Amino acid sequence: MKTWIAACLLAAALPAWAAGDAQSGAQKAASCMACHGAEGKASVPLYPNLAGQQAAYLEHALQAYKKGERSGGQAEVMKAFVAGLSDTDMADLAAYYGSLQPERGKGGEVPPGKRGLFCADNYRSQLRMREAGDMVEA
């Protein structure tokens, strides 16, 4: 019984141990700011807002870019940026952007298209590129 309780406590603590360091991530985010903004709020609609996004999702996305599991849109650009990142770097960046507040509208609500939903923003960007003829299907 004690072993089972210890195993459950250990499993519950693993996400906390795996979490990145937001302060370290802030120091590592310089190259991200050109596209995603100084506070994770992109000024160009082509790039998604990262502020307030779930850290676990961001870390998974960075890993997927590094492994070549994502394509289309700006995937080739992202692959170049993440190529030199370690797992710790990616966890730190994810923790940093996850700790930021998303953009707020006049009433305090997050405006449509600015909700930090990377998938939705990326999908919309790909649709715009497809409509403009700038995207070639793989």
Side-chain angles (χ1 to χ4, degrees):
M1 179 69 168
K2 288 181 184 180
T3 305
W4 185 82
I5 292 172
C8 289
L9 291 174
L10 179 62
L14 284 176
W17 287 341
D21 179 12
Q23 287 181 338
S24 293
Q27 296 171 354
K28 298 172 184 177
S31 63
C32 306
M33 292 178 187
C35 298
H36 298 289
E39 295 295 319
K41 298 167 188 148
S43 60
V44 178
L46 179 64
Y47 307 114
N49 290 332
L50 302 181
Q53 182 60 268
Q54 296 290 322
Y57 175 78
L58 288 173
E59 186 174 355
H60 175 75
L62 291 170
Q63 292 284 353
Y65 281 120
K66 188 169 184 174
K67 294 175 186 173
E69 295 172 352
R70 288 196 171 196
S71 62
Q74 298 294 313
E76 293 304 317
V77 174
M78 285 299 299
K79 286 179 195 176
F81 277 102
V82 300
L85 296 178
S86 69
D87 290 347
T88 301
D89 293 336
M90 289 186 253
D92 291 347
L93 286 166
Y96 168 65
Y97 284 111
S99 72
L100 300 176
Q101 291 298 313
E103 185 175 325
R104 300 282 174 192
K106 290 180 182 178
E109 75 283 352
V110 179
K114 300 289 185 179
R115 294 196 169 104
L117 296 174
F118 184 88
C119 286
D121 285 347
N122 191 33
Y123 178 72
R124 283 192 287 275
S125 295
Q126 288 181 15
L127 286 177
R128 284 192 294 272
M129 290 172 70
R130 227 179 254 125
E131 289 168 1
D134 295 337
M135 186 170 184
V136 177
E137 294 296 325

